[in-house]
Amino acid sequence: MSAWGAAKSADFRGPLDVARAATVVLDAQDTVIGWSRTAEELFGYAQDEIIGKPLDTFLPPRQSSGLTAADEPGSALGAPLSGGEIRVAVHSDGRSLLVATAVSSLPGTGTAAHVLVATALESLRLWESRLALLHGLATQSPVGLGIYDTDLRLTWCNAAYEREIGLPFAEFRGLRADELYSEGSFMTEGYPNTLDSVMNQVLDTGEPIVDLHFRGRPPSDPDVEHLWSCSYYRLQDADGHVFGVCEDAFDITDRYEAQKRLALLVEAGRGIGTVLDVMVTAEEIAEVAVPEFADAVTVDLVEEVVEGEALGAGGPAGGALVRVASRSATATGTGEQEKPNPPSPVDYPPGSPQLRSLSSGGLVLADDTLVVPLRAGGSPLGLVTFRRAPSATFDNGEIALADELAGRTAVSIDNARRYSRERAASLALQRQLLPRHLPQQTAVDLAYRYLPTDDVTGVGGDWFDVIALSGTRVGLVVGDVVGHGLQAAATMGRLRTTVRALAQLDLSPDELLTRLDDLVGQSAEDLMDAVGPPIEPREDDATGATCLYAVYDPVSRRCTMARAGHLPPAVVDPEGRLSFPDLPAGPPLGLGGLPFESKELDLPVGSLIALFTDGLVETRGRDIDQGLNTLGRVLGERGRSLEELCDRTLSELLPYGTTADDTALLLVRTRELDPGQVAHWELPAEPVAVGHARELATGQLREWDLEELTFSTELVVSELVTNAVRHAAGPLQLRLIRDRTLLCEVADAGHTSPHLRHSEEEDEGGRGLFIVAQLVHRWGTRYTESGKTIWTEQVFPSAE
């Protein structure tokens, strides 16, 4: 017999039971001959008032009602009562009553012929409702209900409980809960360890326990672990007598698994692709999946992906896969990462799930192994293999989850591969564009450091340079292009090349920045004319570039500086006093229309100049003023070499060796050219000055033991002084400098530059400057506020 069959066989007496309903005994003429106390309460007539009266005294004829229980809209069960009708009765006080009646004929030949049983319709509906509720709980409720007696033996259960057990009720009636779930356990903390202990606690305290999560394997499904939400409450009658415990149990396994999958996807969103690194991303999916989703995970990538190379739409070259991540909960007991370091080649046998997945491009499920391909844009990236214990398989929902995990991983790995490829190209370009080494300069001692940005942000556009200029002067440059990546590096290269070209024209710092600004603005206009204005700012727009240019002259010990939106340099004099020169700021490059101004400083010999980009002094969590103060404190440490100061600066300002922006630092310590290496004369702008200049130059070469250069130097001096006398205004100045080469300079008040040209055979002149160009190593013109200077350099005979 089922649990519901047992319930139906119980003594559930209805409201028309003669023990509880109003009972009236009638004779054959429907005269009242018997009247119960319940009838007296229902109809209001005392027994001595109604005995001998006809039935219609309180119950009019049937035509006044004409309804059966099936016709009455308020019938709770929607079916007619056996032998019953719904009638309108009249109370002794005159009011009408709606009652349900049933008539039963009495056997025999006595006076009594019928027994009328009646009850108020309101009581009937209550009984029918309770009966329907009991029927629903017993047969239709999805919640398993079980009633245990005070000995914790199962005495009754509904159909849902019976289905959970998977056996007829008769086969497990009388068992204890712990006997039904011998391997069960609680997931909710703070409660006893067994179901029997929980029920005993409810019996003893009377306090119900609600939503207790219990995990176990029911007899109906012994291979799969289920999870129930259980509640327990004590049963007692109206007098307070305790007769058992009721258990409500609802299977929430599917909901729990869905929540686990959702939580795993949330964790995957947080834990996969945190950095742009192929290897780290592969390790992250293994860490997320073990042990929550699989007992073991391996990640194999195409070799080209690991190396950051471009991929085609076909399969991996020759099936070349490398193992980059492995994690196993069963092997270590802790789920610790087992990283192949370096990545190791892997070769799968024919017919393996991995090779089948590679050839088909789809998922492959083989018993306890699930292989999911990693693909991006139609190109294969690799495979993820999920493994479980032999008794555990992957259902459809778990297969979809594995596909989602692999999809997220593939996107992150492809992004990391593309980033690695672009970063490698940017670093290569940056290495080519930045100076590999700086030659020794007469004007200054120098040291430098350059740190690319960290792996997350990408290569930036900072640069620095040291440019040898005429007259033993030196140009110092530092600049910064806003943005990161290949475009920023390319923009930096264009700007650096342009600065070097303009510097060779011996322009003043403000003039150089003005021309650089014009060229940058012109490039932006040309681009806009070609393709139209960009919808969004381009990463390589040079309007986000800043630059500082300085020229130091070791003869005069003067340094002229100008800046375009860049931070001013730090200057430390030989006594250790720090200053940041108040240079006119100037706008960033490319804005146009605003002037640049230069400022000239007289620097004692041994002064320290620090040129740097903002990545050195401004970082997250530290404002620029703090960074400048730290920089000044380090630079003021006297007695340290420039190399030591570079290292000390980086260790103080960038202690972790990484930064969110590129960092460039150039330190120079000024020197002065020995007065014995410089000879200077002032000459009148007259023809006699030519011969006098030759004599002065010849005498100086003899003093410097450079007689081998006498002939060429006389020709150079004669030509330059002659041109100055003929084509420019005086006074004239002649200067010889003995440095790494022999420098000869002639200055005048004119602003017209001589031109090198080839003279015809019949020309009487015009060959002098051409001859000079053949005799010297190089020559040029630089302009000053007072005029111009023509200069030449000759290599010493021992250096040829």
Side-chain angles (χ1 to χ4, degrees), residues 164 181 212-214 216 218 226-230 249-252:
E164 287 290 341
Y181 304 96
L212 181 65
H213 287 188
F214 176 76
H226 286 241
L227 181 67
W228 291 273
S229 173
C230 304
F250 186 71
D251 193 328
I252 60 172

Side-chain angles (χ1 to χ4, degrees), residues 271-493:
I272 298 178
T274 58
V275 296
L276 290 170
D277 186 286
V278 170
M279 304 293 292
V280 172
T281 302
E283 293 163 8
E284 287 172 340
I285 184 176
E287 183 176 355
V288 167
V290 176
E292 285 77 8
F293 181 73
D295 295 321
V297 171
T298 57
V299 182
D300 306 319
L301 295 182
V302 177
E303 191 172 7
E304 289 86 344
V305 174
V306 178
E307 296 173 355
E309 298 178 4
L311 293 176
L321 294 174
V322 292
R323 177 69 48 81
V324 295
S326 176
R327 191 177 183 90
S328 173
T330 56
T332 64
T334 60
E336 294 180 355
Q337 199 78 12
E338 304 164 10
K339 294 188 293 184
N341 191 17
S344 56
V346 60
D347 187 18
Y348 289 106
S352 63
Q354 288 79 8
L355 285 187
R356 287 159 53 195
S357 177
L358 282 175
S359 60
S360 66
L363 297 92
V364 174
L365 177 62
D367 298 327
D368 58 346
T369 300
L370 176 62
V371 182
V372 187
L374 297 171
R375 302 184 67 86
S379 299
L381 304 177
L383 300 169
V384 181
T385 302
F386 302 93
R387 290 187 176 87
R388 286 182 173 174
S391 60
T393 58
F394 297 90
D395 59 28
N396 291 336
E398 291 168 332
I399 292 174
L401 175 60
D403 194 30
E404 177 68 20
L405 291 176
R408 295 190 180 196
T409 304
V411 171
S412 298
I413 287 178
D414 192 50
N415 288 340
R417 178 191 64 83
R418 294 172 182 271
Y419 169 78
S420 298
R421 187 182 179 200
E422 180 173 328
R423 177 174 171 79
S426 300
L427 285 172
L429 176 62
Q430 198 173 51
R431 284 192 294 267
Q432 292 295 324
L433 295 176
L434 288 172
R436 298 185 182 182
H437 66 276
L438 296 179
Q440 294 296 321
Q441 301 289 330
T442 301
V444 294
D445 294 320
L446 56 90
Y448 58 91
R449 294 291 186 273
Y450 183 83
L451 291 181
T453 188
D454 56 41
D455 291 339
V456 175
T457 313
V459 176
D462 292 13
W463 89 93
F464 67 94
D465 210 345
V466 178
I467 307 169
L469 303 177
S470 63
T472 68
R473 298 170 307 131
V474 63
L476 308 173
V477 190
V478 67
D480 186 0
V481 176
V482 175
H484 300 89
L486 194 60
Q487 296 295 340
T491 301
M492 175 271 287

Side-chain angles (χ1 to χ4, degrees), residues 65 67 72 86-89 96-100 119-122 125:
S65 170
L67 296 176
E72 171 61 29
I86 296 176
R87 307 281 294 273
V88 178
S96 298
L97 299 173
L98 192 63
V99 296
T119 186
L121 187 58
E122 182 177 334
R125 288 175 178 172

Side-chain angles (χ1 to χ4, degrees), residues 143-271:
V143 178
L145 297 175
I147 296 177
Y148 291 82
D149 60 20
T150 54
D151 293 329
L152 303 183
R153 301 289 180 180
L154 184 66
T155 60
W156 179 87
C157 72
N158 67 350
Y161 200 101
E162 196 174 41
R163 286 193 300 270
E164 287 290 341
I165 300 302
L167 297 172
F169 175 64
E171 296 187 21
F172 59 90
R173 181 204 298 266
L175 293 180
R176 302 171 73 94
D178 288 338
E179 295 172 339
L180 290 172
Y181 304 96
S182 58
E183 297 181 1
S185 61
F186 291 112
M187 293 183 62
T188 308
E189 297 181 355
Y191 290 96
N193 296 327
T194 64
L195 290 173
D196 285 359
S197 300
V198 169
M199 293 185 190
N200 273 323
Q201 178 177 319
V202 173
L203 284 175
D204 293 341
T205 64
E207 295 292 332
I209 294 178
V210 180
D211 196 24
L212 181 65
H213 287 188
F214 176 76
R215 187 196 300 272
R217 298 176 185 268
S220 61
D221 196 5
D223 295 331
V224 178
E225 200 168 51
H226 286 241
L227 181 67
W228 291 273
S229 173
C230 304
S231 297
Y232 300 90
Y233 47 92
R234 192 167 68 183
L235 299 175
Q236 56 190 46
D237 58 19
D239 297 328
H241 176 68
V242 177
F243 58 85
V245 176
C246 185
E247 176 189 53
D248 298 348
F250 186 71
D251 193 328
I252 60 172
T253 305
D254 292 340
R255 184 179 71 188
Y256 176 71
E257 293 298 327
Q259 289 175 342
K260 281 178 57 179
R261 294 169 189 168
L262 178 60
L264 191 63
L265 284 178
V266 172
E267 179 62 24
R270 289 196 302 257

